[in-house]
Amino acid sequence: MLKKIKYFLRYLFISDEKYTKYKFKKYLHYDLNLINPKSFNQKLQWLKLYDRTPLHTKCADKFLVRDYIKNKIGEDYLIPLILVTKNPKEINKMKLPNYPVVVKPNHSRGAYIIKNKNDYTFKDLQEKLSKELKNNFYYRTREWQYKNIEPQIIVEKLLIDEQGSIPKDYKFLCMNGKAKLIQVDSNRLNNHQKTLYNTKWEKQNFEFNFPRGEDIERPSNLEEMIKVSEILAKDFIFVRVDLYTINKKIYFGELTFHPAGGFGWFKPKEVDFQLGEMLTLPKKKN
């Protein structure tokens, strides 16, 4: 614990740029070029440091983003919201419904699934959430959009697909307003895998941060999901739009501006630069 505290304090007061360059070299083993970024990860870091707006903060907030979604595509795409609170003790058996839910902080990553509240130990969860509310996720990756989010806890209905399982997570990587790649996450609870496709549903022969998974059946409403993702992507240079689909009904998951914090590995490594060619950055303002 003392070692972690010393590490945190060491990098707390250095600039975002110096911290990002250090972490980039540590994780990806090549230098971060911010003057003329070429790779996908380099461009994500450029956006992290220089593309900062209040809208990014609103849309990184898992509660406030619901207003953005409602105005852009309509509230029918929203997962039913059960509870919003700043008090972890409100996450208890009395407050929750008699069906599966997901509990998550609005200002960071991670989620807690409660399938049966009668079999759940809430004290442990309350302690974890209490710690989460005190953390500022910005300091982990220097993703500015998280810095000014007011921490809260949200509870949503847990989506269940036709087979009674948690549905696949379709993540649309949108560059300059257009969906370019679709990442499908599966087996997230025990053997996390990612399978990537282009918008024609042709499987891509590379890995990104996790092993490549099995073939995924093309969703029957793929074109509609692409349309929805591009509507939500219009306001951003890059954004990953996460969607679910159950019985052809589309649900919004979240918006992510820097997947893996801009430190995600590719296999083979050259894919990082190939994807970078697909993303056009604006000129940096002085």
Side-chain angles (χ1 to χ4, degrees):
M1 178 60 71
L2 182 60
K3 185 177 181 181
K4 287 185 177 181
I5 293 174
K6 288 182 178 179
Y7 175 86
F8 177 77
L9 291 176
R10 179 182 178 186
Y11 294 104
L12 178 62
F13 299 107
I14 69 173
S15 70
D16 288 350
E17 184 173 313
K18 286 184 178 180
Y19 179 86
T20 302
K21 285 183 176 180
Y22 163 77
K23 297 280 283 189
F24 193 90
K25 185 65 175 287
K26 178 181 178 180
Y27 287 114
L28 297 179
H29 310 295
Y30 70 97
D31 291 329
L32 172 58
N33 184 344
L34 293 172
I35 298 176
N36 187 25
K38 295 291 186 182
S39 74
F40 178 68
N41 277 311
Q42 285 179 337
K43 290 185 176 183
L44 287 184
Q45 300 297 348
W46 190 99
L47 291 170
K48 182 196 293 187
L49 293 168
Y50 307 125
D51 183 37
R52 299 176 170 185
T53 71
L55 185 59
H56 284 80
T57 295
K58 178 177 182 177
C59 289
D61 185 322
K62 293 181 176 64
F63 175 59
L64 293 183
V65 71
R66 294 174 66 90
D67 286 334
Y68 181 78
I69 299 305
K70 181 179 178 180
N71 292 331
K72 282 286 184 177
I73 56 177
E75 60 184 338
D76 286 344
Y77 290 92
L78 293 171
I79 298 172
L81 180 67
I82 297 164
L83 178 67
V84 182
T85 181
K86 297 179 183 178
N87 184 2
K89 291 186 178 181
E90 288 196 37
I91 308 301
N92 58 51
K93 186 176 178 179
M94 297 295 292
K95 287 277 188 177
L96 298 185
N98 295 316
Y99 51 81
V101 299
V102 59
V103 180
K104 53 190 175 183
N106 70 319
H107 67 300
S108 66
R109 298 171 186 164
Y112 304 91
I113 293 173
I114 301 176
K115 291 187 176 181
N116 186 341
K117 68 179 184 179
N118 295 313
D119 297 333
Y120 204 84
T121 304
F122 285 97
K123 184 178 179 180
D124 291 343
L125 176 58
Q126 290 168 357
E127 290 176 355
K128 290 178 181 178
L129 291 171
S130 181
K131 291 179 181 178
E132 281 284 352
L133 292 177
K134 296 174 184 177
N135 290 331
N136 191 319
F137 191 72
Y138 154 77
Y139 290 105
R140 299 184 192 179
T141 57
R142 298 300 175 95
E143 293 178 83
W144 175 86
Q145 67 270 21
Y146 294 109
K147 189 174 186 179
N148 299 311
I149 295 177
E150 182 180 2
Q152 299 184 87
I153 303 164
I154 63 174
V155 181
E156 295 176 336
K157 181 179 180 180
L158 179 67
L159 297 180
I160 303 294
D161 66 16
E162 299 90 332
Q163 287 74 43
S165 303
I166 296 173
K168 291 183 175 60
D169 198 350
Y170 296 89
K171 301 175 182 290
F172 293 77
L173 280 68
C174 299
M175 307 182 191
N176 307 110
K178 293 293 182 182
K180 297 294 185 179
L181 289 170
I182 305 159
Q183 171 188 315
V184 187
D185 283 47
S186 54
N187 303 320
R188 298 189 69 167
L189 299 180
N190 45 42
N191 183 28
H192 195 168
Q193 297 175 325
K194 293 185 179 183
T195 310
L196 289 110
Y197 293 87
N198 61 19
T199 55
K200 296 179 180 179
W201 208 251
E202 296 168 335
K203 190 175 182 180
Q204 304 299 288
N205 190 30
F206 65 87
E207 296 180 354
F208 175 50
N209 230 37
F210 285 91
R212 187 166 62 250
E214 72 280 359
D215 291 344
I216 306 294
E217 183 179 352
R218 176 189 173 114
S220 60
N221 56 351
L222 177 63
E223 287 73 20
E224 183 184 356
M225 285 200 288
I226 292 173
K227 181 180 178 180
V228 167
S229 68
E230 291 183 343
I231 291 173
L232 297 178
K234 284 183 179 179
D235 293 325
F236 307 105
I237 298 165
F238 172 87
V239 67
R240 194 192 72 203
V241 181
D242 295 4
L243 302 174
Y244 302 97
T245 178
I246 301 175
N247 289 322
K248 298 185 179 180
K249 179 173 173 55
I250 298 171
Y251 292 93
F252 167 77
E254 64 180 74
L255 298 180
T256 299
F257 297 107
H258 316 107
F263 303 115
W265 55 263
F266 286 92
K267 186 178 180 180
K269 293 181 179 180
E270 54 264 26
V271 174
D272 195 357
F273 288 84
Q274 293 169 1
L275 295 188
E277 295 177 358
M278 302 167 66
L279 177 59
T280 301
L281 299 180
K283 293 183 179 179
K284 180 183 175 183
K285 297 180 181 179
N286 296 323

